Amino acid sequence: PLLNKSVVLVNTLLGLERAEAEDFLRTLGVDLQKNINMKTQFVILGPDPLTETSESNEDASEKCREEVEKRKELGQPIHLISQRQLLAMIP
C-alpha cells in the first residue's frame, strides 16, 4: 500500500535505529523524504523513547500533527499514521 508513496518518518519505528527504520521503509517501496513538502502523502509518527524525552517527543508530535492538518486544509492529500497503523497496512 505504500509502494511509490512519498513518506516522511518522524522519530523511528519498532525500536530500530533511525537508519534501520529508514531501510525498513525502503524495503516497502516508499519514496522516503526528509521533510514534509507538497509531494508528501504519508507522515509516519513513530515513538523514539531512546533519544528524546517524552516532553520533547510530545512537542514534535504536536508540531507534526499541526503541519499535516494545515496541509489538509489547503487540499493536500496527506495522511498522518502511527506505527501501529503502518504495521496494519503491511500484508
Side-chain angles (χ1 to χ4, degrees), residues 44-86:
I44 302 170
L45 185 58
D48 192 4
L50 299 176
T51 60
E52 294 188 327
T53 66
S54 59
E55 184 175 312
S56 65
N57 194 12
E58 287 176 21
D59 288 345
S61 298
E62 186 58 33
K63 287 177 184 177
C64 183
R65 285 185 179 92
E66 289 172 3
E67 178 70 17
V68 169
E69 286 306 313
K70 181 175 79 172
R71 288 178 177 275
K72 278 184 177 183
E73 289 173 8
L74 295 173
Q76 182 173 347
I78 186 171
H79 306 280
L80 179 67
I81 62 174
S82 66
Q83 174 177 282
R84 175 181 263 176
Q85 291 168 311
L86 169 68

Side-chain angles (χ1 to χ4, degrees), residues 31-47:
D31 174 19
L32 197 57
Q33 302 176 304
K34 296 218 182 270
N35 299 303
I36 298 172
N37 61 42
M38 292 304 291
K39 291 183 179 182
T40 307
Q41 296 165 297
F42 289 92
V43 176
I44 302 170
L45 185 58

